[in-house]
Amino acid sequence: MIQSDLDLFGPQPQRLATHTVLLPGFALPPLEALLDALRPVLRAAPFRHMQTPGGQHMAVALSNCGTLGWVSDAQGYRYTLLDPQSGQPWPALPQVLLDLAGKAAQAAGFDGFVPDACLVNHYLPGTRLTLHQDRNERDFSQPIVSISLGLPAVFLLGGLQRSDRPRHVPLSHGDVLVWGGEDRLRFHGVLPIKPGVHPRMGERRINLTLRKAG
Ligand code: SIN
Ligand code: FE2
């Protein structure tokens, strides 16, 4: 069987909005290489619950790799060159992740995407992420590439107003969601993760969000 025949039977991209595309299973081929690359990242910059500007602890635990890392503390949300916990630069963005993000962006219609920041989110069952916009980046012409691993989630794809009723988008292990262009500032979030144990990833969901922040 030739490759193009195989592709016909693979999961197809789904356009959810003008510039929002779901790529089912797109991260599965390089999955093991991806997990191998993530291990040293998480050793150098372990998951932690950051403080919100309001003084609470975030339910999602997070880490970063790339030149810039997204942080939250009493002063607000921003990108930093150094991990505030170690005082060291964030671990480098692994090549396998750069390649995957570039290919996913291209498959969604965004050429030449070179991220400099990868936020790594860790969800336990019950953890949710409330509706928000990603707006700490300098250049909103660059898309967001979001990779889902582990337990399934329901992604909330909202509109440009917080009050717009969000669409519920099921995300599975290996799915990649890309949004940009006129959809770049859509509100989005994640419903509480249902209890479960993923055969490869265990009792967790991990989300990798790649952005061009600087
Ligand atoms: C985020 O918006 O930062 C994460 C989204 C997700 O976990 O799917
Ligand atoms: Fe976000």
Side-chain angles (χ1 to χ4, degrees):
M1 200 185 276
I2 58 171
Q3 183 64 34
S4 58
D5 288 330
L6 281 169
D7 288 346
L8 284 176
F9 299 101
Q12 298 298 301
Q14 283 170 248
R15 190 167 293 280
L16 303 176
T18 311
H19 291 123
T20 305
V21 178
L22 173 61
L23 303 166
F26 199 86
L28 292 179
L31 178 72
E32 291 307 318
L34 198 68
L35 295 178
D36 286 346
L38 274 180
R39 252 170 244 122
V41 164
L42 295 169
R43 267 199 298 275
F47 286 120
R48 76 291 301 264
H49 293 275
M50 290 191 178
Q51 241 183 301
T52 64
Q56 312 275 75
H57 277 99
M58 292 184 64
V60 176
L62 59 86
S63 179
N64 287 284
C65 54
T67 308
L68 291 167
W70 186 88
V71 302
S72 171
D73 61 18
Q75 278 107 62
Y77 307 125
R78 64 194 177 282
Y79 283 93
T80 63
L81 290 163
L82 303 181
D83 175 351
Q85 194 162 288
S86 66
Q88 299 297 309
W90 295 102
L93 230 165
Q95 191 62 43
V96 56
L97 210 44
L98 273 174
D99 291 346
L100 177 59
K103 281 187 198 154
Q106 190 162 38
F110 299 97
D111 287 343
F113 177 56
V114 183
D116 56 12
C118 177
L119 174 62
V120 188
N121 289 310
H122 183 280
Y123 298 75
L124 288 170
T127 306
R128 67 198 286 251
L129 186 65
T130 52
L131 278 183
H132 64 278
Q133 291 171 299
D134 289 5
R135 52 182 322 143
N136 298 125
E137 301 74 31
R138 197 163 284 166
D139 179 2
F140 296 148
S141 75
Q142 295 296 309
I144 293 172
V145 172
S146 175
I147 302 168
S148 289
L149 301 174
L151 289 174
V154 176
F155 185 83
L156 299 171
L157 178 64
L160 296 178
Q161 308 295 325
R162 188 181 288 278
S163 55
D164 292 339
R165 185 200 290 251
R167 174 171 174 174
H168 287 200
V169 180
L171 293 179
S172 298
H173 178 63
D175 289 354
V176 180
L177 185 64
V178 182
W179 68 97
E182 66 189 52
D183 296 326
R184 176 62 177 72
L185 289 176
R186 277 179 183 266
F187 280 86
H188 58 279
V190 177
L191 286 184
I193 302 297
K194 291 216 174 96
V197 180
H198 186 270
R200 180 67 185 89
M201 303 296 294
E203 197 178 17
R204 63 179 58 80
R205 171 174 187 261
I206 289 182
N207 167 261
L208 308 168
T209 297
L210 292 119
R211 310 186 185 106
K212 172 87 178 76

